[in-house]
Amino acid sequence: MDGFRFRCYPTEAQAQTLRQWIGCQRFIYNAKVGEDRYFRRFAKSALQLTGTPIPIDQCYAQFKTEQTPFLAEVPGVILRNGAVRWKQAYGRYFAGLGGRPTIKTRHGRQSVWITRELFELEPIEDAPRAYRLRIGTRKFPVGELAFTAHRDFEPPASLHISLEAGRWHVSFSNETATEILSEKAIAERLQQLPIEQLEAATLGLDRGVATPVMTSDGQRIVASPVQQQRLAQKERRRKRWQRKLARRCKGGKNRAKAREQVARTYRYASDVRRDLAHKAARILVDEPRHQVYALEALQVQQMTKRAKAKPDPERPGHYLPNNAKAKSGLNKSILASGWGQFKTILRNKAARAGKLVVEVPAAYSSQECARCGHIHPDNRPSQARFVCQACGHQAHADINAAQVIAARGARWVADGHVVAKPKKRCALRRTTVGPGEAEPAGFTPRTPVENAIRRCRGNTSAHRSMKQEPPATSQRLSR
Ligand SMILES: [Zn+2]
C-alpha cells in the first residue's frame, strides 16, 4: 500500500461544512460504540437466553430521531460511512489488531471519510500535479477544493479529509504499483555474499540523545541550526502558553485558543522530526554502496518509563529522592529524537530499493571496541571519546558504536537471523457474529455470552423484543 497525504486549503465556508460532516460522522461512530456497549452489558445480565446475536452491522437509521435534527443536514453517505468505519474497527478487533472501537473525542486530529458518491477528482489543465476536488452532492454542495500533489498517484475510490492543529489535509491509500520484495527474499540474496563483502555493504546506525543518529561512516543526522533555534524558541513559547492554559477556565473559548497554540508548537517539532527522518533516510538509501542498514533493537517504550519511586526504609510512607525530574527530561529527549519514526521510514524506503534494515541486540555496543572486540566500561573515558584499553584504538564514541553495530548487522544477516514477520490482515465480515456461525480463526469472544441479543428498531422497548419477534428486520439480522 502506498499512502498519500496532501495539504489543502478550504475556504471558511467549506471548512464550516466539513467540520459539520466530521462531527456528524463522529456522532454516528460514537452512537454505534454506545449501542454496542449497551447490548453487551445487557446481554451479560439478562438476555442470554434469546439466542440471537449482538448485531455488528452498519445500521444507523435508529439514531436519526427528533432529538438529532442536525443529522438531516448532512448527506446520508456521511452517516453511513461513520457506521462503516465503526464496523471496520470491529473487524480489526476480530483480526486481533486492536481493541474494541472506543469513543472518538472531539479533540486532536479529526477526519471525515468520504466515498466516491461524494467527490470527483480532476486534474487542472496546464498545472502539473494540481487537482480539483469537487465535494458534495446536488443537495449538499461543498464546492471545489484545489490541492497540489507532491508526487504522482492513481485516483482513489475514497479519501479522508482531516483537520489537525489548524491544518487541512486530503489523504488516501492505493495499491502499490511497483512490486516490493519481501525482507526474507532480500535477506536470502544477501546471505549468498561472502562476509567481507557483506560487511562492506552494511551501514551501522547508532541512535543517541545528543546526536539523534550517527552512521558508521561518520555522517551525523541532526536538525539544521535554524531548525534547532526555532525548536528552542517554540519550546519557550509552549511553556508560556501552557501556563496560560492552566489558568484559563475549563470549557471556555480562551482555553481552546491556548490549547491550539500549544498544539501548534508540538506540531512544529513533529514536522521537523518527520522532515529530517524522510530526508536522511532518502540520502542513506540512495547511496549505492550500502545494502544493509543495521540498527540496535531498542525498547523505546521500556526505556522511557517513569523513574521508579524509592521507598525510604527508615520512614515508612516516605520516599527518597530518585532523580525523577532528570529521568523525565531524558525520556523527553529520547522521544524527541524520533527513533521509532526514523526506523519505520528507513525500512519502507529501503524495502522499495531492495535493501534491508536489520535490528541487532544492543547490549554493550557503546563499550565494545570496533577493531578488536574488547568490551569494558573503561573504554569510554568520556561521553564523546572511545579509547580501547586492550589495543589502543581511538575514535569518536558514537562512530565506534555505529561500527560495532554494523559488524553485528553483517553477522546477523550472514547467520540468517532475518525472519519475515507474518503480516496481520483483516477483512470485513458481511455476516453478524452469532453462536451458529463460524467465527474468525483464532478469535475467542471475551465475554462468553456476548452473542445473545437482538436490536429492535426505533422506540420499541427491549423488553418487548424478548417476548415477540420484531418485524422484518429480524430476517436480515438472523440470516
Ligand atoms: Zn580494541
Side-chain angles (χ1 to χ4, degrees):
M1 294 291 262
D2 259 348
F4 298 89
R5 192 173 81 134
F6 305 125
R7 181 98 188 257
C8 62
Y9 303 87
T11 62
E12 194 36 57
Q14 288 173 338
Q16 187 65 36
T17 315
L18 288 172
R19 271 192 219 105
Q20 200 182 358
W21 286 12
I22 288 173
C24 288
Q25 194 163 88
R26 190 185 56 225
F27 179 87
I28 293 292
Y29 187 96
N30 288 344
K32 292 298 285 181
V33 172
E35 183 190 58
D36 179 58
R37 284 182 181 167
Y38 172 76
F39 277 145
R40 281 185 295 112
R41 159 173 274 191
F42 204 35
K44 231 189 221 167
S45 63
L47 276 183
Q48 6 183 328
L49 299 174
T50 55
T52 42
I54 288 184
I56 295 175
D57 57 20
Q58 289 161 205
C59 297
Y60 62 92
Q62 67 271 27
F63 306 124
K64 287 179 86 172
T65 61
E66 280 161 15
Q67 282 107 49
T68 56
F70 52 88
L71 291 182
E73 291 165 21
V74 303
V77 179
I78 292 292
L79 307 182
R80 184 207 61 196
N81 288 352
V84 173
R85 274 178 120 177
W86 174 83
K87 198 182 165 194
Q88 286 173 340
Y90 232 115
R92 283 194 292 279
Y93 163 69
F94 284 137
L97 296 171
R100 279 183 210 282
T102 50
I103 298 282
K104 284 186 193 288
T105 71
R106 59 193 179 88
H107 306 298
R109 182 177 181 272
Q110 301 289 317
S111 71
V112 60
W113 180 42
I114 63 176
T115 36
R116 220 181 327 214
E117 306 94 321
L118 285 170
F119 72 89
E120 260 172 47
L121 192 64
E122 61 180 48
I124 298 174
E125 281 162 27
D126 308 330
R129 286 179 176 169
Y131 291 84
R132 199 177 287 129
L133 189 63
R134 214 171 277 129
I135 314 174
T137 56
R138 215 176 301 157
K139 195 175 165 197
F140 304 99
V142 178
E144 283 177 359
L145 195 59
F147 67 88
T148 308
H150 50 75
R151 55 193 179 118
D152 298 319
F153 63 90
E154 292 287 311
S158 70
L159 48 83
H160 286 84
I161 298 182
S162 64
L163 169 65
E164 188 176 21
R167 274 188 201 165
W168 290 90
H169 284 102
V170 171
S171 59
F172 50 87
S173 59
N174 267 337
E175 286 300 322
T176 316
T178 49
E179 200 184 333
I180 297 174
L181 282 173
S182 75
E183 284 198 343
K184 204 173 165 225
I186 301 170
E188 274 165 6
R189 176 170 58 82
L190 292 168
Q191 248 172 302
Q192 310 299 324
L193 299 176
I195 183 78
E196 301 80 39
Q197 220 174 320
L198 196 54
E199 270 172 7
T202 304
L203 185 74
L205 299 145
D206 179 52
R207 292 179 280 186
V209 169
T211 308
V213 179
M214 178 69 106
T215 68
S216 54
D217 54 9
Q219 293 180 61
R220 195 190 291 264
I221 296 168
V222 283
S224 73
V226 176
Q227 283 172 330
Q228 280 175 0
Q229 190 196 336
R230 286 193 190 149
L231 281 173
Q233 185 189 337
K234 302 266 175 186
E235 174 83 31
R236 288 196 297 275
R237 195 183 154 81
R238 167 154 73 241
K239 281 185 178 154
R240 200 163 61 233
W241 277 104
Q242 204 102 53
R243 280 197 296 271
K244 285 189 182 179
L245 178 66
R247 282 196 297 261
R248 286 182 182 176
C249 180
K250 268 198 179 169
K253 266 197 180 147
N254 286 321
R255 187 186 169 88
K257 277 182 207 158
R259 202 212 315 259
E260 167 94 21
Q261 290 298 328
V262 172
R264 272 168 200 242
T265 61
Y266 278 114
R267 187 181 70 188
Y268 181 77
S270 88
D271 284 350
V272 168
R273 273 200 295 277
R274 194 176 53 245
D275 175 67
L276 186 65
H278 270 291
K279 286 180 181 162
R282 173 51 58 217
I283 291 170
L284 294 180
V285 170
D286 281 350
E287 170 65 55
R289 261 184 308 148
H290 302 130
Q291 293 293 317
V292 181
Y293 300 90
L295 302 160
E296 328 102 291
L298 297 173
Q299 302 280 334
V300 176
Q301 231 175 17
Q302 303 291 327
M303 288 167 71
T304 53
K305 282 194 170 164
R306 289 175 70 167
K308 261 197 190 135
K310 245 192 220 165
D312 190 339
E314 282 163 24
R315 293 186 302 162
H318 289 74
Y319 292 88
L320 293 171
N322 64 347
N323 293 328
K325 192 124 199 186
K327 176 61 180 149
S328 42
L330 176 64
N331 288 351
K332 203 162 137 193
S333 17
I334 291 177
L335 293 173
S337 44
W339 292 343
Q341 187 182 39
F342 177 69
K343 182 180 79 187
T344 314
I345 290 173
L346 182 67
R347 173 165 279 157
N348 284 336
K349 289 200 199 306
R352 268 148 217 265
K355 300 180 176 187
L356 194 62
V357 173
V358 291
E359 286 187 79
V360 297
Y364 303 111
S365 60
S366 61
Q367 295 175 10
E368 187 177 322
C369 172
R371 196 191 286 165
C372 71
H374 177 66
I375 298 177
H376 203 276
D378 292 350
N379 289 350
R380 283 286 291 276
S382 73
Q383 175 62 37
R385 243 158 46 95
F386 184 93
V387 182
C388 179
Q389 301 299 305
C391 75
H393 174 62
Q394 286 197 22
H396 187 285
D398 289 342
I399 297 177
N400 179 73
Q403 285 166 349
V404 170
I405 291 162
R408 287 184 191 178
R411 245 173 295 140
W412 193 257
V413 175
D415 294 350
H417 280 300
V418 182
V419 270
K421 268 190 203 159
K423 246 196 184 153
K424 282 187 176 176
R425 289 190 173 278
C426 82
L428 262 183
R429 285 161 43 77
R430 294 207 175 274
T431 50
T432 52
V433 175
E437 291 162 30
E439 299 199 324
F443 167 69
T444 40
R446 313 240 161 129
T447 47
V449 290
E450 79 175 12
N451 299 324
I453 54 163
R454 164 180 298 155
R455 182 221 314 290
C456 34
R457 297 291 290 271
N459 298 324
T460 330
S461 75
H463 186 69
R464 232 172 73 202
S465 82
M466 282 174 71
K467 292 186 195 153
Q468 66 186 50
E469 280 290 295
T473 54
S474 66
Q475 294 256 310
R476 189 180 46 75
L477 289 172
S478 53
R479 205 188 313 140

